[in-house]
Amino acid sequence: MKLVFQPRCHFLCHHLHIQCQKLYSCVPGPEQKCKSGPVDLVFLIDSSRSVRPHEFETMRKFMIDILNTLDIGLNATRVGVVQYSSQVRSEFTLKAHAKLENMVKGINQIIPLAQGTMTGLAIKYVMNEAFTAEAGDRPKVPNVAVIVTDGRPQDRVAEVAAEAREKGIEIYAVGVARADMTSLRAMASPPFEDHVFLVESFDLIHQFGLQFQDKLCAPSVQFLSLFSSGVDLCLESDHSCEHICESSPGSYHCLCLPGYTLNDDGKTCAGSKYMAKVKLQGKHDCEQICISSPGSFTCDCSKGYKLHDDKKTCSMIDYCSFGNHSCDHECVSVLNGYHCRCNEGYRLLDDGKTCQAIDLCAEGKHDCEQICVSTPGVFTCDCNEGYTLNEDKKTCTHMDLCNTVEHGCEHQCVSTPGSYYCICPEGQLLQEDGKSCGTCKSANIDLVLLIDGSKSVRPQNFELVKKFVNQVVDSLDVSAHGTRVGLVQYSSRVRTEFPLNMYHTADEIKAAVMKVEYMEKGTMTGLALKHMLENSFSEAEGARPSGRNIPRVGLVFTDGRSQDDITEYAKKAKEAGITMYAVGVGKAVEDELRVIASEPLEKHFYYTTDFTAISTIAENLKLNVCPGTTLTGKTLFVKIM
């Protein structure tokens, strides 16, 4: 007759060889049943909405396949099933069914809850409700929980799982597809290689069924070692022996010390009254607890400590060494537990595990005058462009470039943060070189401003753009017969805010500018240039006939890369005699600004990294025409720091 090893017997015989034959039976026959003694087993299955119907059917088959390998019965293996999502529901308890066919029927009748994934809540239910005497849990019978889940828990699992393990529940964590390995390890009993399983899909869950059944039939390597050494249930159960517990495979019995006899209850001992207790005489060298017996003693440790090999001294249990703490940075063992600690510069969040960098700059816990640069837990100060950091490493001093560089201004040099410019005395204007002064008259021009209203500008910066426009208007001689101003805003489309012939005073124009509403969306600069050329400088919108030789000036203000081609209409605008100025800020592309601007570029091209600095550009952008010259303005000299 050919012997067929049952799943557990096969696993044990493979690892323990001859010792296995003394502990477990290998029986002939076509069916493979675990004969390892009684077990109380509860399946905890995830029925959240992420588990699709066909996947849930695979989970049913997985449980039924496991049951087919077990010796089911009220005096053998008892099985309960609990499903969970955002809530927990017991499908049947440990004492509900004594026959396999009834369990299979109950599993096939399960209707998934299809909600969230509250795994911690489910573990707590299993610990407090499923493994109770009322539900059919038996004393001194191993408790095993098998958790099957496909996702990350929406609540905390580590603490409640640790509590369940401390109560003697051996937990297997089976993860499928989207399951989180960190969460599986936080739930499962050690060692993880025997209690944590992860597969790519529900369709593959059967491929490791035999391996999982082997381990389930032999609840843990720790149990195997105890069985094989003959001290199993004395160590792993509340045996209640008053003196000595002697283990045998799958059982135990109580013994008494010399001078005592075992009472009828099989647990307590009775002895001679004349025997003295060593503990009372102080003749022991136990570090913590001395347990006295007639003429002898043994040492023990307080809760949270373990006894050393010398059987006398104790040390605190290192709970961090178990490897399931999930601390973000550092685990610190304390008496009867552990807590998490963060590295310097980080703070522990409310979950007690996650660490977050302390940003002193964002929290306002610094005394920098201008710029605060944060690193975890510390900060350094810096200054804006055009300023230098003082020796106190906190305050800043404005760099007076006029006194530190050869500026070459004929009349007066004016310093600005990170730059400088030249000015001339009243009655004179700055010449082409941006340094010398000369006389010329204020020009009458037709000026159209194209302002970028794309989403990247943001509302608060758009208000600064409007102030920039009004600063430019303040430098002009606005009237019906003098300078005319029109305004166009663009984003993904183009909108004329007001044409050249609508307003005839600077105050009217500035009031209209402040009422302009921010468009948002894209950056179609090419479309805006086309609109300016074909519409804004038409006589219908107030441009004066070209025969009158009134200069036409276009000023483009943008903060980013154009989403369409600008080359064609930038070229056509300049060929039509329009003098083009390009002002860029932030993420504006320098190459695009150069394509837009008229020659010489240094007179018609401006750029700054920050919206707060555009007022400086407006101060320097004086649009004037001198006899026999092209349009000129003040030149902004920028020193690269």
Side-chain angles (χ1 to χ4, degrees):
M1 179 182 298
K2 183 178 180 181
L3 291 179
V4 179
F5 287 130
Q6 300 161 21
R8 178 172 183 174
C9 188
H10 174 74
F11 177 79
L12 291 171
C13 290
H14 176 70
H15 289 282
L16 301 178
H17 304 292
I18 297 174
Q19 289 182 356
C20 167
Q21 299 176 20
K22 298 178 182 179
L23 301 177
Y24 302 97
S25 60
C26 302
V27 300
E31 296 184 355
Q32 299 181 352
K33 300 287 185 181
C34 287
K35 296 289 186 180
S36 60
V39 174
D40 288 340
L41 168 65
V42 174
F43 285 101
L44 184 58
I45 58 173
D46 178 357
S47 63
S48 58
R49 65 174 64 91
S50 62
V51 180
R52 300 173 179 85
H54 73 277
E55 295 175 335
F56 194 81
E57 294 306 314
T58 306
M59 201 183 306
R60 288 190 213 266
K61 187 176 186 304
F62 168 73
M63 289 189 288
I64 294 171
D65 288 347
I66 295 294
L67 295 184
N68 283 326
T69 68
L70 302 176
D71 185 17
I72 301 296
L74 292 179
N75 295 321
T77 298
R78 295 186 182 185
V79 178
V81 176
V82 176
Q83 70 157 318
Y84 73 95
S85 58
S86 296
Q87 55 185 309
V88 184
R89 186 167 71 199
S90 175
E91 297 301 329
F92 55 83
T93 64
L94 290 167
K95 67 179 182 180
H97 300 306
K99 295 183 179 181
L100 174 62
E101 54 267 28
N102 294 335
M103 292 182 183
V104 172
K105 182 178 179 181
I107 291 174
N108 286 328
Q109 291 176 344
I110 296 175
I111 299 175
L113 295 171
Q115 296 173 356
T117 311
M118 302 295 286
T119 310
L121 179 66
I123 296 174
K124 185 174 183 180
Y125 177 89
V126 168
M127 177 176 62
N128 295 333
E129 302 293 338
F131 287 116
T132 61
E134 294 79 7
D137 180 55
R138 294 166 288 181
K140 301 178 183 177
V141 172
N143 290 342
V144 178
V146 178
I147 304 173
V148 184
T149 181
D150 82 321
R152 183 189 297 273
Q154 293 175 333
D155 57 354
R156 295 166 63 174
V157 298
E159 293 83 355
V160 68
E163 184 180 354
R165 294 192 298 268
E166 288 177 1
K167 289 188 175 182
I169 302 174
E170 186 171 14
I171 301 177
Y172 290 83
V174 181
V176 185
R178 302 164 289 275
D180 174 51
M181 177 57 79
T182 300
S183 300
L184 295 177
R185 292 168 65 92
M187 294 185 285
S189 297
F192 296 138
E193 60 266 20
D194 289 336
H195 295 84
V196 177
F197 301 90
L198 182 62
V199 293
E200 295 180 358
S201 69
F202 281 92
D203 295 332
L204 299 176
I205 198 169
H206 299 294
Q207 294 185 9
F208 70 98
L210 181 59
Q211 177 192 6
F212 179 67
Q213 292 161 17
D214 289 346
K215 296 183 183 300
L216 183 59
C217 288
S220 73
V221 173
Q222 194 173 17
F223 274 102
L224 295 178
S225 63
L226 292 172
F227 275 125
S228 62
S229 63
V231 290
D232 180 26
L233 293 179
C234 288
L235 293 178
E236 295 299 320
S237 67
D238 182 13
H239 52 74
S240 300
C241 295
E242 184 177 5
H243 284 181
I244 300 171
C245 175
E246 183 172 274
S247 180
S248 59
S251 183
Y252 68 90
H253 61 273
C254 299
L255 299 174
C256 295
L257 295 170
Y260 288 83
T261 58
L262 193 66
N263 292 328
D264 292 339
D265 60 7
K267 296 182 179 181
T268 59
C269 300
S272 303
K273 295 182 179 179
Y274 65 85
M275 292 186 173
K277 293 185 177 180
V278 176
K279 182 177 180 180
L280 295 178
Q281 298 175 1
K283 297 178 180 179
H284 69 86
D285 51 359
C286 298
E287 184 178 6
Q288 292 187 354
I289 299 173
C290 176
I291 301 174
S292 179
S293 59
S296 182
F297 69 90
T298 56
C299 299
D300 200 358
C301 299
S302 303
K303 184 179 179 181
Y305 291 83
K306 62 181 179 180
L307 193 64
H308 289 166
D309 293 339
D310 62 7
K311 304 301 181 183
K312 297 177 182 179
T313 58
C314 303
S315 64
M316 190 174 71
I317 298 173
D318 183 5
Y319 287 90
C320 292
S321 66
F322 297 165
N324 60 352
H325 52 75
S326 301
C327 293
D328 206 358
H329 283 179
E330 183 181 356
C331 176
V332 180
S333 288
V334 295
L335 187 61
N336 296 319
Y338 68 89
H339 67 262
C340 298
R341 184 166 61 195
C342 296
N343 297 334
E344 186 176 357
Y346 293 79
R347 67 165 57 90
L348 195 65
L349 298 185
D350 292 339
D351 63 4
K353 297 180 180 181
T354 308
C355 297
Q356 183 183 64
I358 300 173
D359 188 346
L360 296 177
C361 294
E363 296 176 5
K365 298 177 180 179
H366 69 89
D367 48 2
C368 298
E369 182 179 6
Q370 293 187 356
I371 299 173
C372 177
V373 181
S374 181
T375 54
V378 296
F379 68 90
T380 56
C381 299
D382 200 357
C383 298
N384 296 325
E385 187 176 0
Y387 293 82
T388 57
L389 194 64
N390 295 329
E391 291 183 0
D392 61 7
K393 302 300 180 182
K394 298 176 181 179
T395 59
C396 300
T397 300
H398 175 250
M399 294 175 61
D400 187 358
L401 293 181
C402 289
N403 292 328
T404 58
V405 300
E406 292 291 335
H407 55 77
C409 295
E410 179 181 337
H411 177 65
Q412 183 178 347
C413 175
V414 178
S415 290
T416 60
S419 64
Y420 69 90
Y421 62 89
C422 302
I423 60 174
C424 295
E426 186 175 357
Q428 296 186 35
L429 294 177
L430 200 64
Q431 300 301 299
E432 291 286 341
D433 60 4
K435 297 180 180 182
S436 58
C437 300
T439 59
C440 73
K441 62 180 181 179
S442 180
N444 294 329
I445 60 175
D446 287 343
L447 170 64
V448 175
L449 297 103
L450 304 182
I451 59 173
D452 183 351
S454 62
K455 186 176 182 179
S456 60
V457 174
R458 295 186 293 184
Q460 64 271 29
N461 291 331
F462 190 72
E463 294 302 312
L464 296 177
V465 174
K466 292 195 287 187
K467 291 181 180 180
F468 167 81
V469 171
N470 283 346
Q471 281 184 275
V472 173
V473 171
D474 280 333
S475 68
L476 303 174
D477 182 15
V478 178
S479 67
H481 302 289
T483 292
R484 298 182 180 182
V485 178
L487 181 64
V488 174
Q489 183 184 175
Y490 70 96
S491 59
S492 297
R493 55 191 178 89
V494 182
R495 182 173 73 200
T496 297
E497 300 295 346
F498 51 85
L500 288 165
N501 57 1
M502 179 168 285
Y503 301 112
H504 304 303
T505 68
D507 289 340
E508 289 176 336
I509 292 173
K510 291 194 292 182
V513 168
M514 297 310 295
K515 294 178 181 179
V516 171
E517 295 183 355
Y518 180 36
M519 292 174 71
E520 296 189 277
K521 298 188 178 179
T523 311
M524 303 294 283
T525 311
L527 184 64
L529 290 169
K530 181 176 184 292
H531 180 89
M532 177 197 73
L533 179 64
E534 297 177 352
N535 298 285
S536 301
F537 283 114
S538 66
E539 292 185 24
E541 292 200 2
R544 286 165 284 196
S546 57
R548 293 182 56 183
N549 293 322
I550 301 296
R552 295 181 175 181
V553 180
L555 190 153
V556 179
F557 185 99
T558 182
D559 86 318
R561 181 186 296 275
S562 176
Q563 294 175 327
D564 61 352
D565 179 65
I566 64 169
T567 306
E568 178 182 357
Y569 284 96
K571 180 180 179 182
K572 287 183 177 180
K574 288 180 279 190
E575 289 176 347
I578 301 172
T579 301
M580 295 299 301
Y581 284 76
V583 178
V585 65
K587 295 182 179 180
V589 179
E590 183 174 338
D591 290 341
E592 290 186 355
L593 298 175
R594 292 179 181 276
V595 170
I596 295 171
S598 295
E599 295 288 348
L601 292 178
E602 62 269 19
K603 300 295 295 179
H604 300 90
F605 162 65
Y606 295 82
Y607 174 79
T608 181
T609 58
D610 193 339
F611 275 88
T612 58
I614 61 176
S615 60
T616 302
I617 294 177
E619 286 293 328
N620 292 281
L621 190 65
K622 305 297 185 182
L623 305 176
N624 292 292
V625 174
C626 292
T629 68
T630 59
L631 287 175
T632 64
K634 290 183 180 178
T635 300
L636 182 69
F637 294 88
V638 181
K639 181 176 179 60
I640 305 300
M641 304 305 297

